[in-house]
Structures are given as C-alpha cells and as structure tokens.
Amino acid sequence: MTRIAIIGGGISGLSAAFALEERRKAGADVEYTLFESSMRLGGVLRTETVDGCVVEAGPDSFITEKPWASDLCRSLGLGDQLIGSNDAERKTYILVRGRLIEMPDGLMFMVPTKILPTGLSPLFSWKTKLRMARELISPPRPADGDESVASFVERHYGAEMVDHLADPLLSGVYGGEAANLSVRAVLPRFAEMERTHGSLSRAMLAARRRMPTAQGSRPLFTSLRDGMQSMIDAVVSRLSPLSLLTNARVQAIQPEAGGWIVSAGLQSDHFDGIILALPTYAAAQLLSVCGPELSAELCAVGYSSSITVGLGYNDEVRQSLPPGFGFLVPRSEGMRLLAATFVHNKFPHRAPEDRALLRCFFAGANAEAVWPFSDDELVGLVRGELEKILGLRAAPLFARVYRWKSAMAQYGVGHLDRLDRVERLRQKLPGLALAGNGYRGIGVPDCVRSGRDAATQLLDSR
Ligand SMILES: Cc1cc2nc3c(=O)[nH]c(=O)nc-3n(C[C@H](O)[C@H](O)[C@H](O)COP(=O)(O)OP(=O)(O)OC[C@H]3O[C@@H](n4cnc5c(N)ncnc54)[C@H](O)[C@@H]3O)c2cc1C
C-alpha cells in the first residue's frame, strides 16, 4: 500500500486527492491523507449566497481556454452546472483622467487587431496610436532572456499602453505590477510571437486566421451556476471524510526510511510520498531543514495580498449602471480600487433580475495600504471611489469583505529559470511533489492541473 500525504486543502490539494481517489477506485493500492490547517477546505475558493446573489469571496470564474478546471467539474458530475460569461455584454472600461472609456473592439489583451476601433478610441493618445502602427512592421527578435511585462509592452507600444492596459489587466489576474512580472512566465505566447513574427499585432492576426470559428465563439470565462464553492463541495463529497483532516496544520516534515514523516499537532505519521499543495513560502518553511536550497528558491517567489468587496444594490442602481463586465483603474488615477466587476452582467445567473451585484478588487500595494482598515472603513472607501467613478451614491443593500493575505503568486523576472532549479532540487528529495499557484500558472485551471500532475508523478515514480 502506497501512503501519500497531501499538505494544503485548497483546490490544488483537493485536485491531487481526487486524482488519487480515482486511481484507488481504478484498483491502485494507494491511500492518502489531506492536512488542512484551517477549519474549512477550499482555500481561496469560497462562495456565499446573500439576498439571492451569488457572492464570490475569491475567484469568480476561470478562463475557458484552459480545460483542466472544466474537465474536473465534468468528472465530478457538474457538467450541467458550468456556465459561460455573457460575452454578448462583454465591454470593459478603463478609467482615464476620471472618465470611463470603453476598451476598443479587437484588443486582444493589449494587442490591437482592428485598426479602425483602436484608431478612433479616446483610450490612447496619437503618440500611442502611431506606435501601434509602427509596431506592425517590427522584425522578428531572437529570444534574449527574460524581462518585465512592462518593459516588453513598452518596447512594442510605449509607456501609455503599460499604464492604461497592461498593468491594470495584470493587476486583475496576478494582483501585481507589470514592472515586476516576468514576460516569459506570464505572457509566454507573446514572447514567442515576438520571436517568430516581431510584431505582436501581426502575429495575433495570423493566429486568429488559423483559429477555427467554433473556438472563437466559446465564452471567455467559465464558472459554476451556484458559485465556485460547488466545485469544492463536489470534490469533497467524492473523498473519504476520514482522509480529510481540517484544523490540522503541518508543522514539520522529515524524510525517513525512503518516505516522509509528517507532523501535525501532537501526531506524527509515516508516508511513502508527500505533496506540498501550498503557497511556495509555506512549502519553503516546511522544507527549510531537509532541503534548505530548495526552500530558499521557493521563498524567493513573491506573493501579493488581495481584498474583494461584494456589494448588492437594488434595481434602480442596476438600471443606472453602464452595460458591460466592469472597469479597471490604472494606478496613475490615484485610486485604491484596481477593478470592479458588474457581476449581474458578466454572469446574469448570479443576481436576481432586480439586483445589481458589484465585486470590487484591491491587490498588491493598494491592498496592503488599506489592510489595517476595518470592514466598515473599507466599504466606506469603496463607496467613495464608486461615487467618483460611477456617480453611485446609493447605499448598498449588503456588503461583504474578504481578505486574502499573500494568496496570489507573483512570477518575477527569471521565474522560469527558478523553476528549473526548483525541479532539480526537488528530484534530490525522493517522494516529494509540489503543487499550487507558485509554479506554472496562478489560475484555478492551472492549480487543478498542478495537483493532478503531482499525484500522478508520485504514483508513477513508484
Ligand atoms: C481574490 C482572488 C481572486 C482570484 N480570482 C481568480 C479568478 O477569477 N480565476 C482564476 O482562475 N483564479 C483566480 N485566483 C487565483 C486562484 O484562485 C488561486 O491561485 C488558487 O485557487 C490557489 O489554490 P491553491 O490550492 O494552490 O492555494 P490556496 O487556495 O491558497 O490553498 C492552500 C491551502 O493550504 C493551507 N495551508 C497553508 N499552510 C498549511 C500547513 N502548514 N498545513 C496544512 N495546510 C496549510 C491553507 O490554509 C490553504 O487552505 C484568485 C485568487 C484570489 C486570492
């Protein structure tokens, strides 16, 4: 019998447990125990229903293009619960000098692919528009190490594009700044496009021509009708309750006799393999004695904190809000808010027809700056900024504040080289596998895949 310990009960750890459970049911002689330090499973995936609205505390959806989360949902029997974002309403605004300006049609991330809408958009100055035109004739450029997303985007389209689009878009995903994120790790496709085509706009147009039309019509985001937590509840319902230990913080791990001793509370137990499904700094702490070099590499991956504030409003407010998915706020606007989603438009199933649901987001330095605020103070701050941005004065029917300390990994410049070193060092510790958002993707689908792959790696190495 192979005994495996999974440390961390977020979606990465649960996905590992589910993969092991599937193998066990298929006849593999394996047993697992999952240790979660908090009282609840799911990590940052958490949903509350308030006044008929589905309020997401952490992630609200995942990108459809990456299949692993949807695949897991289908394996869990949740296929009929999967919903797509309402892309017919997909408009995103950027706050520029206090005014919300719609992102022009044809922008793929920050790459313009339609000349007319971009050329006419007030989002960019003439200087940036000329840069966009010049970018079309950029020659291919050999891969030359890593650099920050900010410097990469600035080379192509200038500083305004970094401030108005690249930075706010990345803040929404990584909670971090374009100046600190690695282009090779965060935008690998763009780095490759530069190598092969030079111009990102030309490369994107060529890719679009190759894309089958059916793929173009898929919704950009996928979620679950009753919220992301239903994924957690479904995984948990498929696992043996005896294998899932909550309120069980692992304090130490130690390689012994070809396996690992795991110590939580007053208990120590021996396992053949161990999956650390944790933020890298938490994995680093556990590895500091038995793998100091690996621990130092893991410790060097940065993490940022974030806060989401869910606000429910009445129908009058719903009618007064602009159409679309929401808005992004460039740092240069001097606000604390980084983004707000109009959830009732993005996923109409998530709010009754006479309710508006807003999801407001702070991350990185902005989240740290307001961290000491009480929940009431935070709601007051959000309301003040929403009034400035949207003219929204009405009091919300409800407000929920969720704080996530150091939960979003930041892939700094050189991240992929670090991962190569991490992998070499990991191999020196047999029976150890790593999963989570600190490695090859921060999104829910990447975390699902990382957990599943960690489980497969351990079983197949035996
Ligand atoms: C506010 C927010 C919004 C997001 N939005 C999106 C989105 O819309 N779409 C998307 O795809 N992704 C989104 N993400 C990213 C994604 O949700 C996360 O990267 C992913 O869920 C991380 O899962 P995880 O299991 O790796 O980590 P976590 O969820 O952090 O789980 C790790 C678990 O380990 C436990 N733990 C820590 N130390 C120990 C220990 N010593 N012993 C035992 N247990 C321990 C913790 O209590 C925690 O439960 C968002 C993240 C946040 C924070």
Side-chain angles (χ1 to χ4, degrees), residues 44-48 55-59 307-308 359 402-404:
V44 302
L45 271 73
R46 183 175 158 207
T47 309
E48 278 191 272
V55 184
E56 295 290 5
I307 302 173
T308 59
R359 169 185 159 89
Y402 307 97
R403 298 164 195 254
W404 302 109

Side-chain angles (χ1 to χ4, degrees), residues 43 82 262 316 356:
L82 291 171
V262 174
E316 203 178 317

Side-chain angles (χ1 to χ4, degrees), residues 167-302:
D167 196 58
L169 285 167
L170 285 173
S171 297
V173 180
Y174 287 87
E177 296 181 26
N180 300 330
L181 295 170
S182 146
V183 75
R184 283 185 61 214
V186 169
L187 299 175
R189 258 186 10 208
F190 287 2
E192 179 58 15
M193 283 175 180
E194 181 180 67
R195 199 182 63 74
T196 53
H197 287 75
S199 159
L200 305 179
S201 301
R202 269 200 345 263
M204 200 61 103
L205 287 168
R208 246 207 351 217
R209 277 194 295 273
R210 285 195 305 271
M211 209 194 314
T213 38
Q215 223 185 358
S217 66
R218 282 193 312 186
L220 189 57
F221 302 103
T222 298
S223 193
L224 286 145
R225 188 171 297 276
D226 297 330
M228 298 289 285
Q229 168 120 19
S230 42
M231 193 165 160
I232 299 301
D233 296 343
V235 181
V236 169
S237 73
R238 299 292 189 97
L239 307 173
S240 155
L242 295 177
S243 310
L244 304 174
L245 307 181
T246 50
N247 208 7
R249 167 173 292 280
V250 171
Q251 290 118 344
I253 58 172
Q254 184 60 38
E256 196 175 286
W260 290 83
I261 300 284
V262 174
S263 305
L266 298 174
Q267 305 284 325
S268 288
D269 205 352
H270 183 269
F271 293 88
D272 302 297
I274 184 169
I275 297 173
L276 299 183
L278 297 170
T280 54
Y281 56 85
Q285 213 174 9
L286 293 179
L287 289 163
S288 59
V289 176
C290 59
E293 277 183 275
L294 176 55
S295 172
E297 291 289 0
L298 295 178
C299 221
V301 178

Side-chain angles (χ1 to χ4, degrees), residues 135-153:
E135 203 271 347
L136 279 164
I137 53 165
S138 309
R141 185 184 153 116
D144 183 22
D146 200 3
E147 67 183 308
S148 75
V149 172
S151 87
F152 177 87
V153 174

